Amino acid sequence: MLSSTIVQKFGGSSVADAEKFRLCAQHALAARRRGQRVVIVVSAMGDATDDLIELAEKAMPQPDRRELDQLLATGEQVSIAMMALTLKGLGVPAISLTGQQAAIRTDNVHGRASIQSIDSARLNTLLDAGQVAVVAGFQGVSPSGDVTTLGRGGSDTTAVALAATLGGACEIYKDVDGVYTADPRLVPAAKRLPRVRYDEMLEAAALGSQVLHPRAVEMAKRFGVPVRVVHSHLHDPEDLAGGTWIVGETDPMEARAVANVVLKKNVGRISLRGVNNIAGVQARVFGPLAERSLPIDDIIQEDDGPGTINLTWTMDKKDLLEAAPIVQNVAGAVRAQSLRIDGVEVGSGLVTLSAVGAGMRTTPGVAAKMFEALAQEGIRVENITTSEIRISCVLAESDGARAAKCVHAAFGLG
Amino acid sequence: MLSSTIVQKFGGSSVADAEKFRLCAQHALAARRRGQRVVIVVSAMGDATDDLIELAEKAMPQPDRRELDQLLATGEQVSIAMMALTLKGLGVPAISLTGQQAAIRTDNVHGRASIQSIDSARLNTLLDAGQVAVVAGFQGVSPSGDVTTLGRGGSDTTAVALAATLGGACEIYKDVDGVYTADPRLVPAAKRLPRVRYDEMLEAAALGSQVLHPRAVEMAKRFGVPVRVVHSHLHDPEDLAGGTWIVGETDPMEARAVANVVLKKNVGRISLRGVNNIAGVQARVFGPLAERSLPIDDIIQEDDGPGTINLTWTMDKKDLLEAAPIVQNVAGAVRAQSLRIDGVEVGSGLVTLSAVGAGMRTTPGVAAKMFEALAQEGIRVENITTSEIRISCVLAESDGARAAKCVHAAFGLG
């Protein structure tokens, strides 16, 4: 009798070739032996998505997004068929489902679609019949029946959304064996965290931690889906303790001031100088960016003399190209109404270093300790933003790695 | 105002890379300049389909057909997106449609599905709005919403079916510039035929002529769709005379006894020796093969003494592996009822050479001339079958090329 439901998600590097599919399949077999209903979510094989984008740009330099989605969705479709064939080859009943066949319904924002609903009828029928359902990550179907994609990392979101819909837990299999106090490639002294809180992961993910897509963490938090991050090939399929569990509450003893340090690279920054601080000016700046679904990281507003402000925000460097002209237009329109915007500055070559910890709420002096550590290394801080459980500093790209090491050490995470 | 509708189909070698997509797009542009509604049907790029089959076999030696369809369909999905992006890159309004999005409904015989219906509502709306509709060939959607494929050459069938549904003509763009009196690679003296009849193409296609898929010709004949075979890149987009038109009737003057000579390679043969010729024995032999959708070419039945017969038929060599055990079972079952089947012979290394011509009906002595030509070359004939407009001889593979040349010459086609 099939007691619980587990959704297992495998990233592109975990299914880079036929042999790796067989390794991943072992995790599904182990879950079946435990009597669980098993759903598998897979990304495109290896670099397939990048290869498809490259191909598309040969046909149209800035590819139409609807057609790009039609193209990119094939990457995951190849993977689900391969995983289903691999399982059947191992004698396990399995069936592959595209986003549309799995009834994953999204809005029609091609390239960055949001899941609106999942009709789990077909999935439940298949799972109750003992089939392993292999669902394409990253994709869905729009109201008009077109293929949509959820954007990079969207497969994590697909997996958590399915776990929420089917009432199960979610395992994210990656080429790392959990969440670390920092990126081990950057900070060799980094350690694996056995448990982290949704809030901490949310901050870390939003800050560019590659471990889990922020939308996936957000959804896991909203629906209380327990998520475990484990290594796809090093991890023993029978070991339920390995990796990092992402949960609602952690043992208060674990609530250290700073759980981990995250360095976000490729940060872009836009500043509006000398802006008349009239009511609604912020909305007029960020509205058009939101319409184009351009994600904003941190916003800093500071006074710039009587009645005027400087408005600064960070965003992905890759979005600057699209955002800059939009902001220039807004500035122009504002000036045309004889309101002031002195200048627009666009900067890149930046990183954001953040210290994240749920215990920060109750531990004074965390910020001071971070600034002191950076100061001792002679690292200049360009901007500072804070939230309830994190402190972020914008730094020059060249200072990134050194800053991560010294802050990680300062909080005794090594 | 958009007067007529043209369906343009491009094979895999015509869309092997981004540059070739641009060349193909020129044909669509020319048709638009002529004021036509344009539908494009594309196959998978280059060897994509073979590569996917190879990949599937790494996961499961004899791939499950439903999953293989899910996998193979991605080949055409990549092509439609690439063609739509190419057209948009050239400033032409275009939209790609998978078999399902184009509402191409099939039965659920995975790997060899048949088109049941096409709902042209969305297509007509797009075409009347001036869009070029780029439809995935070779694929459709089953009643259960699964992806099906029509089998090899299915893209031709998709194109003709769309032309029939939309009431237009069909252009098949290939790496050959029409239908020849014989395969030029085999018979250097072969000439291009400006017009051939459906019947002639049907025989030629059924006999393994690579020019057009037999099901496509069958459908063209049934719905009277005029089909033109032209070269995708050498052919001038403005030239409406080039290539070969496949039509219902040709000028009686053109009705030569033999229009072309076709050599089918990789022929397999199965013979049942000493079969009790009881009523229904043929059905008991061919029924199980039909259930597995294994295509039979020619059937020969000859007496083998009182009350017993020899039953021989040809089929694709690749199907022998699947067919042989089925036939053995039948033979066993028949024997178990104390009826006779002396032996089952399975042979390969054969070819079928056929002479095809609508004028054969009215021209005596065609068969004799063919046998004479083969005899003069000292070529042994293993089996003979004839239809109203063709004569076929089964020969040893090693004699194929020589036989094609001498028969082609004997009928003065050079």
Side-chain angles (χ1 to χ4, degrees):
Chain A
M1 112 93 181
L2 299 168
S3 60
S4 66
T5 304
I6 185 78
V7 178
Q8 302 181 321
K9 184 261 179 177
F10 299 96
S13 59
S14 303
V15 292
D17 57 49
E19 186 43 46
K20 288 191 167 138
F21 274 100
R22 264 184 284 278
L23 292 172
C24 294
Q26 294 308 316
H27 296 291
L29 269 62
R32 278 172 63 84
R33 282 193 294 271
R34 292 193 289 268
Q36 294 185 285
R37 304 200 309 172
V38 181
V39 177
I40 293 179
V41 174
V42 278
S43 304
M45 291 174 66
D47 303 325
T49 301
D50 293 331
D51 296 345
L52 288 168
I53 290 172
E54 205 174 297
L55 185 64
E57 287 169 344
K58 285 185 192 158
M60 190 179 184
Q62 285 184 333
D64 172 83
R65 286 192 157 170
R66 188 261 181 196
E67 295 304 331
L68 188 59
D69 281 357
Q70 184 91 285
L71 183 68
L72 293 184
T74 62
E76 283 69 28
Q77 192 169 332
V78 167
S79 289
I80 55 172
M82 281 297 289
M83 182 59 86
L85 287 167
T86 302
L87 287 164
K88 282 174 165 283
L90 295 169
V92 179
I95 182 167
S96 71
L97 299 172
T98 62
Q100 193 211 31
Q101 289 166 348
I104 298 174
R105 306 200 173 103
T106 72
D107 56 25
N108 54 16
V109 182
H110 285 286
R112 289 206 200 92
S114 302
I115 297 174
Q116 301 297 305
S117 72
I118 299 178
D119 177 352
S120 60
R122 184 176 185 182
L123 274 170
N124 276 313
T125 307
L126 291 166
L127 294 172
D128 291 339
Q131 296 257 354
V132 172
V134 184
V135 179
F138 175 72
Q139 63 180 246
V141 60
S142 75
S144 54
D146 291 333
V147 179
T148 53
T149 68
L150 310 180
R152 282 310 178 95
S155 291
D156 293 342
T157 311
T158 303
V160 174
L162 285 167
T165 304
L166 298 166
C170 184
E171 291 177 330
I172 307 286
Y173 289 88
K174 299 181 64 77
D175 52 3
V176 297
D177 65 334
V179 181
Y180 275 66
T181 52
D183 182 344
R185 290 163 301 186
L186 211 62
V187 182
K191 286 182 180 165
R192 180 170 62 89
L193 294 159
R195 296 159 66 84
V196 297
R197 299 163 52 113
Y198 293 129
D199 294 345
E200 292 170 336
M201 269 316 287
L202 202 50
E203 293 281 7
L207 293 165
S209 155
Q210 297 301 307
V211 175
L212 206 54
H213 194 284
R215 289 159 63 191
V217 182
E218 182 54 61
M219 191 174 287
K221 182 187 177 186
R222 195 180 330 136
F223 295 99
V225 176
V227 177
R228 183 166 70 137
V229 176
V230 273
H231 195 291
S232 47
H233 303 325
L234 300 180
H235 178 70
D236 170 7
E238 303 297 350
D239 169 19
L240 296 178
T244 297
W245 278 100
I246 303 160
V247 292
E249 287 299 323
T250 52
D251 179 342
M253 299 297 291
E254 292 175 13
R256 55 212 306 186
V258 173
N260 61 343
V261 171
V262 184
L263 184 71
K264 179 176 188 176
K265 294 179 177 168
N266 299 313
V267 172
R269 182 175 57 181
I270 298 181
S271 296
L272 300 181
R273 305 248 161 245
V275 180
N276 275 115
N277 189 9
I278 54 168
V281 69
Q282 293 84 350
R284 288 178 61 177
V285 170
F286 293 109
L289 296 174
E291 277 163 26
R292 302 286 284 273
S293 306
L294 291 168
I296 306 296
D297 292 345
D298 292 319
I299 300 172
I300 305 161
Q301 177 177 318
E302 58 195 347
D303 277 344
D304 179 44
T308 66
I309 57 170
N310 296 332
L311 200 54
T312 300
W313 66 92
T314 52
M315 63 197 304
D316 281 357
K317 198 166 83 184
K318 65 169 171 54
D319 290 333
L320 280 181
L321 196 69
E322 194 175 343
I326 297 172
V327 176
Q328 293 285 8
N329 288 344
V330 173
V334 169
R335 289 199 200 90
Q337 299 175 313
S338 69
L339 301 172
R340 262 184 65 205
I341 287 189
D342 289 350
V344 178
E345 293 170 12
V346 178
S348 62
L350 301 168
V351 295
T352 304
L353 181 71
S354 304
V356 179
M360 208 176 280
R361 295 193 185 87
T362 55
T363 315
V366 174
K369 184 183 283 187
M370 180 168 179
F371 302 146
E372 190 185 331
L374 293 170
Q376 277 171 3
E377 284 285 316
I379 294 169
R380 178 160 172 278
V381 177
E382 303 248 338
N383 299 102
I384 299 168
T385 56
T386 63
S387 86
E388 201 182 15
I389 67 167
R390 75 164 164 106
I391 304 154
S392 299
C393 298
V394 175
L395 313 169
E397 202 151 25
S398 53
D399 292 329
R402 204 157 43 95
K405 285 197 193 69
C406 74
V407 172
H408 187 265
F411 288 111
L413 297 176
Chain B
M1 112 94 178
L2 300 168
S3 59
S4 66
T5 305
I6 185 79
V7 178
Q8 302 180 321
K9 182 261 178 176
F10 299 96
S13 59
S14 303
V15 293
D17 58 49
E19 186 43 46
K20 290 198 165 127
F21 274 101
R22 264 184 283 278
L23 292 172
C24 294
Q26 295 307 317
H27 296 290
L29 268 64
R32 277 174 62 84
R33 283 195 294 273
R34 291 192 289 269
Q36 293 184 286
R37 307 199 309 172
V38 181
V39 177
I40 293 179
V41 174
V42 277
S43 304
M45 291 173 65
D47 304 326
T49 301
D50 294 331
D51 296 345
L52 288 168
I53 290 173
E54 204 174 297
L55 184 64
E57 287 169 345
K58 285 185 193 157
M60 190 179 185
Q62 284 183 335
D64 173 85
R65 286 193 155 167
R66 189 259 180 198
E67 296 304 331
L68 188 58
D69 281 357
Q70 185 89 285
L71 183 68
L72 294 184
T74 61
E76 284 69 28
Q77 193 169 329
V78 167
S79 288
I80 55 173
M82 281 296 290
M83 181 58 86
L85 287 167
T86 301
L87 288 164
K88 282 174 165 283
L90 295 169
V92 179
I95 182 167
S96 71
L97 299 172
T98 62
Q100 194 210 31
Q101 289 166 350
I104 297 174
R105 306 200 174 103
T106 73
D107 55 25
N108 55 15
V109 182
H110 286 286
R112 289 203 200 94
S114 303
I115 297 175
Q116 301 297 304
S117 71
I118 299 177
D119 176 352
S120 59
R122 184 175 185 182
L123 274 169
N124 276 313
T125 306
L126 292 167
L127 294 172
D128 291 341
Q131 296 258 352
V132 173
V134 185
V135 179
F138 174 72
Q139 63 180 244
V141 60
S142 76
S144 55
D146 292 333
V147 179
T148 53
T149 68
L150 309 180
R152 283 311 178 94
S155 292
D156 293 343
T157 312
T158 303
V160 173
L162 286 167
T165 303
L166 298 166
C170 185
E171 291 176 331
I172 307 286
Y173 290 87
K174 298 181 67 74
D175 51 4
V176 297
D177 65 335
V179 180
Y180 275 66
T181 52
D183 182 343
R185 289 164 300 186
L186 209 63
V187 183
K191 286 181 180 163
R192 180 170 63 87
L193 293 160
R195 298 158 67 82
V196 296
R197 299 163 51 113
Y198 292 129
D199 293 345
E200 291 169 336
M201 269 315 285
L202 202 50
E203 292 282 6
L207 293 165
S209 155
Q210 297 301 308
V211 175
L212 206 53
H213 194 285
R215 289 160 62 192
V217 182
E218 182 54 58
M219 191 174 286
K221 181 187 177 188
R222 194 179 333 133
F223 296 99
V225 175
V227 177
R228 184 166 68 137
V229 176
V230 273
H231 195 292
S232 47
H233 303 326
L234 299 179
H235 177 71
D236 170 6
E238 303 298 351
D239 169 19
L240 296 178
T244 298
W245 279 100
I246 303 161
V247 292
E249 287 300 323
T250 51
D251 180 343
M253 299 299 290
E254 293 176 12
R256 55 213 306 187
V258 173
N260 62 343
V261 172
V262 183
L263 184 71
K264 179 174 189 178
K265 294 179 177 168
N266 300 315
V267 172
R269 180 175 55 180
I270 299 182
S271 296
L272 300 182
R273 305 245 162 248
V275 181
N276 275 116
N277 190 8
I278 53 167
V281 69
Q282 293 86 350
R284 288 176 62 175
V285 171
F286 293 110
L289 296 172
E291 276 164 27
R292 302 286 284 273
S293 306
L294 291 168
I296 305 297
D297 293 344
D298 292 318
I299 301 173
I300 305 163
Q301 177 176 320
E302 58 196 346
D303 277 342
D304 179 43
T308 65
I309 54 169
N310 296 332
L311 200 55
T312 300
W313 65 92
T314 52
M315 62 196 304
D316 281 357
K317 197 167 83 183
K318 67 169 171 52
D319 290 333
L320 280 181
L321 197 68
E322 194 174 345
I326 298 172
V327 176
Q328 294 286 8
N329 288 345
V330 173
V334 170
R335 288 199 201 90
Q337 298 176 312
S338 68
L339 302 172
R340 264 183 66 205
I341 288 187
D342 290 351
V344 178
E345 294 170 11
V346 177
S348 61
L350 300 170
V351 296
T352 305
L353 181 71
S354 304
V356 178
M360 207 176 282
R361 295 192 187 88
T362 54
T363 314
V366 173
K369 184 184 281 187
M370 180 168 179
F371 302 147
E372 189 185 330
L374 292 171
Q376 276 169 5
E377 285 286 316
I379 294 169
R380 177 160 173 277
V381 178
E382 304 247 338
N383 297 105
I384 299 168
T385 56
T386 63
S387 85
E388 201 182 15
I389 65 167
R390 77 165 162 105
I391 303 156
S392 300
C393 299
V394 175
L395 314 168
E397 201 149 27
S398 52
D399 292 329
R402 201 156 45 93
K405 284 197 194 70
C406 73
V407 171
H408 187 266
F411 288 110
L413 296 176

